[in-house]
Amino acid sequence: SPTALMKMMTHCHSGVEKGIKSGGRPIEVMGLCLGRPDPTTPKTLVVTDVFPLPIEGFETRVIADDEDVVNYMIALGESLECTRKEKFMGWYHSHPFDVGVNSHCFLSSTDISTQLQWQRMEDPHGNPFLAIVVDPLRSLAKNKPELKAFRVYPPEYNSPVVNQCPDGSIVEEENTRLE
C-alpha cells in the first residue's frame, strides 16, 4: 500500500539522517511487514502496513536477535492479532551504502540466512514470508523509491530447469542470475 511504502521509506531515511547527524555513516534499519496474499493474483503478496523495529546496524549487519527486540516483536504480533486480519508476512531493511551506478537492493549472505529461517518457520503455516531491501540513498538521489522484494530458494532446492531465475527467465551467467 502507499501508506506502508511511505512508512518504510521514512524509517529508512531516518537511519540515514541519524547516522550522518552523529558524524558517521548512515545506519541500517529494519522493520516488519504486515499483509496478506493477494486473492486475485497467485504468488503475489500485498504489504498493507509496516512496523519499524528498535534495531540499528552497520554495513551488512542488521539482525533481530536481541532478547528485547524478540520480545517487542512477540508483543507487537500478539496485539495485532486482536485488531487486524493481516499477519506478519515479511521484513524490510535498508542498505544505505552509497549512491553508485548499481542499486544496493540485494540480499547479503546474512540476509539470505535470515530470510530462509523466516520462510521455514512461516511458509508451512500458509504464511509466505518475503524480504524487502530499500536503498534509501539511491531513493533520495533519484527522487523515487528504490526497493526490491525477495524470497530465497533453500539450499536443497534443485530447479528442473538449469540456470532458471525465480521469475522464470533463464540466465547463463551466475553473477547476473544471483542479482
Side-chain angles (χ1 to χ4, degrees), residues 120-137:
R120 286 187 167 150
M121 284 189 305
E122 296 294 330
D123 286 10
H125 302 289
N127 189 29
F129 222 76
L130 74 117
I132 297 174
V133 180
V134 179
D135 185 338
L137 294 175

Side-chain angles (χ1 to χ4, degrees), residues 16-178:
V16 170
E17 291 171 6
K18 183 174 182 178
I20 292 172
K21 187 183 249 184
S22 67
R25 299 176 55 88
I27 295 171
E28 282 192 49
V29 297
M30 180 179 168
L32 292 173
C33 302
L34 194 71
R36 58 178 166 63
D38 185 341
T40 60
T41 311
K43 298 185 179 183
T44 300
L45 300 174
V46 178
V47 177
T48 57
D49 205 350
V50 296
F51 298 88
L53 291 174
I55 300 172
E56 296 176 351
F58 297 95
E59 296 301 320
T60 56
R61 242 18 212 174
V62 58
I63 303 174
D65 62 358
D66 177 84
E67 187 177 342
D68 291 337
V69 173
V70 171
N71 290 335
Y72 174 85
M73 290 167 44
I74 291 168
L76 180 61
E78 288 173 351
S79 71
L80 289 171
E81 280 180 17
C82 298
T83 59
R84 305 281 289 263
K85 291 180 182 177
E86 305 99 325
K87 295 181 179 182
F88 283 127
M89 44 73 69
W91 63 294
Y92 71 89
H93 72 288
S94 61
H95 279 182
F97 305 139
D98 60 33
V99 182
V101 175
N102 298 313
S103 168
H104 293 292
C105 295
F106 62 88
L107 292 180
S108 68
S109 59
T110 300
D111 299 337
I112 290 170
S113 293
T114 301
Q115 176 61 18
L116 190 55
Q117 285 178 330
W118 279 111
Q119 283 180 206
R120 286 187 167 150
M121 284 189 305
E122 296 294 330
D123 286 10
H125 302 289
N127 189 29
F129 222 76
L130 74 117
I132 297 174
V133 180
V134 179
D135 185 338
L137 294 175
R138 194 171 175 89
S139 297
L140 287 169
K142 292 187 160 235
N143 205 24
K144 68 176 186 158
E146 183 82 20
L147 66 153
K148 290 186 180 176
F150 300 90
R151 285 188 40 89
V152 298
Y153 286 122
E156 62 276 6
Y157 178 79
N158 289 314
S159 174
V161 179
V162 177
N163 298 328
Q164 184 177 26
C165 296
D167 67 0
S169 64
I170 308 297
V171 177
E172 298 297 328
E173 187 180 331
E174 183 174 12
N175 286 342
T176 305
R177 188 172 59 253
L178 293 176

